[in-house]
Amino acid sequence: MGSRQILEVAVAAPLMGLFDYLPPPDTGVGLRPGMRVRVPFGKGTRVGLLMGLKATSTVPDGKLRQALAVLDAEPLLPDDLQRLMSWASAYYQHPPGEVIAAALPKALREGREPTRRRQLKTPPLAAAEVVSADVPPVLTADQARAGAAINATAGFRCFLLDGVTGSGKTEVYLRCVQERLNAGQQSLVLVPEIGLTPQLVERFRRRFPVPLAVLHSGLADGERLRAWTAARDGTARIVIGTRSAIFTPLRHPGLLVVDEEHDASYKQQDGFRYSARDLAVWRARELGVPLVLGSATPALESVENAQSGRYERLVLAERAGSAGQPTAHLIDMRTHQPRDGLTQPLLAAIRRHLAADGQVLIFLNRRGYAPTLVCIGCGTVISCTRCDARMVLHQQRGRVTCHHCGSERAVPEDCPACHADLRAVGQGTERLEQALAREFPDQVMERIDRDTTRRRGEIERRLERVHSLEARLLLGTQMLTKGHDFPGVTLVGIVDVDQGLFGTDFRSAERLAQTFIQVAGRAGRADRPGEVYLQTLFPDHPLLRVLLADGYGAFATMALAERQQAGWPPWSSLALVRAEATERPLVFSFLEAAAALARTALPPGLRVLGPAPAPMERRSGRYRGQLLLQADARRVLQRFLPDFRAALSALPAQRRVRWSVDVDPSELF
Ligand code: ADP
Ligand code: ZN
């Protein structure tokens, strides 16, 4: 028979492991990992990725099927990406074929050619050269030091660029990208989903008249393929993208950047649950290039990595230009009763800033008119029929909607139980907008949240009215806190800082601190000093006191000490087994079987917590429960997971639930 080749192919299917095939007819020579192959699978065919070649298979000869065709003359993916995907599949315990499917543009998954058919949608080089690139500012001493440290790095090194908002982190990225361009290398810049604003991309375009590829979830298939191909063949010198852009192939990689590295959108929350930030660390090491993680509010894990010396911390302590730090004031809502969410001291501050030609940003991370609609007679709360959640009143649309499953209906006229009147309790941005319009009838106001920006181009239109200073009152949710510069804003008001003070998740405090610092950082970015007002019922809360008095760094130290005492990450490693089904007992019989399995094989240093219902047990008509694995060390967990996951797939109870394993979960629900 002579030596024969067996192909190990990753096929998109919910099974761990690779599939063995015989080579297709007329090939055998020139087969290399990273090429796509068309293979028979079940009754149909699939496009898979060749991951390896071997001489023997454990599949009996008669059952081994033959691949149908090789689709590429060259490997589609460079080595480092193949290794990244294999590693990610093992680390996150997700089927390799599905990992690859998540990482490849659709057109390529379907077997199309990666060749570039049309020009990349960047300004043609000639035109860009005529429009002179902008003049870079003279770097501050901190910026110069940070840039020099990064640019002096030849191989892999991870930098934590820890700089207050407005300290010029982006300017440091630009200088490092410049350095790599000069060396003929590409840079990959990851940004949070919501941070991929035209503003940011424009800054790169203005500075560098070179082809640039932008990758985000809103691209059409063809656009995505072109951007991907341009990165792969080296045409695109700069690649800017959201989470999944970490899987972009690069011909001449020189630098990786993760902006706002603490941002929750870097963690995929369904299917293949990876962290793009963590994969960036792995990939930069494989590529032997520097990685810059930038944030004003670094994740506690990253802070700890810097403290332990694994990352090199670079500090930008001052705002760039002449902007100073804003001053913060607490408003005690126990002594200052709010009306429609607004206290007198906050209203007075708004008035003062508007009179001085300032611009005002009011932050409330809750959309809709009111989060609760309650009966004044019997106390019945209007709830979602499919979730353990309240319906949110959207008065303008005349609907109540569930923010968890999206179901909605007309606003009930009266209480469904006793027919007494209903009252709207609490406030969302819609109600706040009305209250502000009453108080400041002559002001142009922009509200920015998911409800006001559904239409394409709407967010840009609204932001433009803010930037042109036509609108002096700006109101919105989390959407406002990321990636937007508001040079005219002199006052930031945080309507309800208490949201999150008493969260159930061990990350609640961290998230609250990050949101607070990011929102406050919008004030006084230009040469005007800013003020921040926070309304709270808990002015003595230690977290608020430390944040206000000493800033995020002091908060991080305190929060890390608390985590260490409680044994939470980064002092432990977690994996969460989630399960859901339309019937509650099915969820728990699976999770109890899973817990029993884990306990029989439990290595030292690993604990099993639960099973327990998810914090919101019923969602979209399904019951949800979870089991937490907590290990003293990552290594312990990683050694345990493969067999455990395999055993889970063999449980009879698993067939009647939807389940998943989430390694390094970012939220415990
Ligand atoms: P960050 O990314 O840290 O929020 P940016 O890089 O966006 O900060 O910088 C904030 C503002 O300061 C921008 O308007 C930027 O153009 C300006 N800036 C950055 N570096 C300098 C500098 N060295 N001198 C003057 N202005 C600067
Ligand atoms: Zn619902």
Side-chain angles (χ1 to χ4, degrees), residues 336-356:
H336 301 283
Q337 294 278 327
R339 233 190 87 205
D340 285 334
L342 299 165
T343 58
Q344 281 308 322
L346 179 55
L347 287 170
I350 298 175
R351 219 164 275 127
R352 192 153 37 77
H353 278 260
L354 290 175

Side-chain angles (χ1 to χ4, degrees), residues 384-389 391 402-407 619-620:
C384 179
T385 54
R386 310 171 68 219
C387 307
D388 294 333
M391 295 297 265
C402 173
H403 286 188
H404 301 281
C405 71
S407 63
R619 183 170 177 162
S620 298

Side-chain angles (χ1 to χ4, degrees), residues 49-111:
L49 194 75
L50 181 59
M51 300 300 281
L53 294 156
K54 57 184 181 181
T56 58
S57 173
T58 51
V59 181
D61 255 21
K63 294 222 162 150
L64 214 47
R65 299 170 84 178
Q66 189 177 32
L68 304 170
V70 180
L71 303 182
D72 300 307
E74 291 282 311
L76 185 65
L77 299 179
D79 272 3
D80 79 287
L81 258 194
Q82 288 173 53
R83 286 199 301 277
L84 178 72
M85 290 170 178
S86 300
W87 184 84
S89 163
Y91 184 85
Y92 290 109
Q93 285 295 301
H94 198 72
E98 291 193 347
V99 168
I100 289 159
L104 281 185
K106 183 158 168 270
L108 296 174
R109 294 200 303 269
E110 291 172 348

Side-chain angles (χ1 to χ4, degrees), residues 276-340:
R277 193 236 355 249
D278 295 350
L279 289 183
V281 179
W282 199 90
R283 191 170 181 203
R285 186 182 296 121
E286 282 291 297
L287 290 172
V289 304
L291 164 66
V292 182
L293 303 176
S295 178
T297 54
L300 294 187
E301 282 84 349
S302 300
V303 171
E304 208 279 318
N305 274 321
Q307 280 171 3
S308 71
R310 277 186 295 271
Y311 297 173
E312 182 172 335
R313 182 163 172 253
L314 302 170
V315 179
L316 308 183
E318 304 284 326
R319 288 185 165 193
S322 44
Q325 290 289 340
T327 44
H329 315 268
L330 281 177
I331 302 173
D332 186 344
M333 287 199 286
R334 293 168 309 182
T335 46
H336 301 283
Q337 294 278 327
R339 233 190 87 205
D340 285 334

Side-chain angles (χ1 to χ4, degrees), residues 629-653:
L629 303 176
Q630 187 182 41
D632 292 342
R634 193 178 294 273
R635 166 171 36 84
V636 174
L637 186 63
Q638 281 293 318
R639 228 179 272 142
F640 177 77
L641 282 176
D643 288 349
F644 176 60
R645 194 194 184 284
L648 287 184
S649 341
L651 285 175

Side-chain angles (χ1 to χ4, degrees), residues 208-434:
F208 305 118
V210 300
L212 180 151
V214 180
L215 284 152
H216 57 82
S217 55
L219 292 183
D221 293 347
E223 290 173 310
R224 175 180 305 279
L225 181 60
R226 275 194 296 283
W228 191 91
T229 308
R232 176 176 173 267
D233 67 20
T235 317
R237 315 304 308 194
I238 302 168
V239 180
I240 304 181
T242 50
R243 183 176 60 226
S244 68
I246 187 57
F247 296 109
T248 312
L250 299 169
R251 180 81 177 267
H252 307 292
L255 174 73
L256 265 50
V257 174
V258 180
D259 187 28
E260 308 290 2
E261 62 90 36
H262 65 280
D263 194 88
S265 75
Y266 287 123
K267 176 79 201 248
Q268 168 121 337
Q269 298 292 10
D270 53 15
F272 171 32
R273 297 163 193 264
Y274 65 97
S275 156
R277 193 236 355 249
D278 295 350
L279 289 183
V281 179
W282 199 90
R283 191 170 181 203
R285 186 182 296 121
E286 282 291 297
L287 290 172
V289 304
L291 164 66
V292 182
L293 303 176
S295 178
T297 54
L300 294 187
E301 282 84 349
S302 300
V303 171
E304 208 279 318
N305 274 321
Q307 280 171 3
S308 71
R310 277 186 295 271
Y311 297 173
E312 182 172 335
R313 182 163 172 253
L314 302 170
V315 179
L316 308 183
E318 304 284 326
R319 288 185 165 193
S322 44
Q325 290 289 340
T327 44
H329 315 268
L330 281 177
I331 302 173
D332 186 344
M333 287 199 286
R334 293 168 309 182
T335 46
H336 301 283
Q337 294 278 327
R339 233 190 87 205
D340 285 334
L342 299 165
T343 58
Q344 281 308 322
L346 179 55
L347 287 170
I350 298 175
R351 219 164 275 127
R352 192 153 37 77
H353 278 260
L354 290 175
D357 279 341
Q359 209 172 17
V360 174
L361 186 162
I362 304 294
F363 175 77
L364 176 62
N365 206 17
R366 204 189 281 125
R367 62 197 174 85
Y369 184 85
T372 309
L373 202 51
V374 63
C375 168
I376 58 168
C378 69
T380 294
V381 170
I382 305 300
S383 305
C384 179
T385 54
R386 310 171 68 219
C387 307
D388 294 333
R390 295 163 177 195
M391 295 297 265
V392 177
L393 174 62
H394 288 252
Q395 202 173 57
Q396 275 159 354
R397 289 197 296 128
R399 314 285 283 176
V400 290
T401 78
C402 173
H403 286 188
H404 301 281
C405 71
S407 63
E408 57 170 72
R409 51 186 193 263
V411 179
E413 303 226 319
D414 52 23
C415 175
C418 74
H419 299 289
D421 283 348
L422 295 169
R423 178 185 295 154
V425 179
Q427 38 276 319
T429 46
E430 195 184 313
R431 185 175 208 165
L432 209 54
E433 184 182 30
Q434 286 186 10

